[in-house]
C-alpha cells in the first residue's frame, strides 16, 4: 500500500476529528480514508449505471455475459 500526504484546512481536520470521536474514537485520518473509499465506490457504481443506461456492455461476470 502506498502512503499519500494531504494538506487540508484546519477547519476540515477538526470536522473529521469530531466525526471520528463520535464514531468511537477513530482518528481523523481513518475517517478521511473511509470517506474517500466510500466516495470511490459510489462514483464507480454511478459510472457503471450510467454506462448500462446508455446501452453499454455490462461488466463481465454479470448474468447477461455469463457463458452457460
Amino acid at each position: 500500500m502506498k502512503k499519500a500526504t494531504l494538506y487540508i484546512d484546519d477547519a476540515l481536520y477538526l470536522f473529521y476529528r469530531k466525526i471520528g470521536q463520535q464514531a468511537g474514537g477513530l482518528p481523523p485520518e481513518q475517517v478521511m480514508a473511509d470517506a474517500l473509499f466510500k466516495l470511490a465506490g459510489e462514483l464507480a457504481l454511478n459510472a457503471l449505471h450510467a454506462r448500462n443506461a446508455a446501452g453499454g456492455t455490462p461488466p463481465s461476470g454479470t448474468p447477461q455475459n455469463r457463458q452457460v
Side-chain angles (χ1 to χ4, degrees), residues 9-60:
D9 187 73
D10 290 342
L12 186 58
Y13 184 85
L14 292 174
F15 168 77
Y16 281 112
R17 186 173 75 180
K18 184 175 180 181
I19 298 298
Q21 289 170 344
Q22 294 174 353
L26 295 173
E29 297 82 2
Q30 184 64 51
V31 177
M32 286 185 265
D34 292 347
L36 287 171
F37 187 74
K38 182 179 182 212
L39 175 61
E42 290 173 355
L43 291 173
L45 187 60
N46 287 341
L48 288 173
H49 177 72
R51 182 182 72 179
N52 290 340
T57 306
S60 61

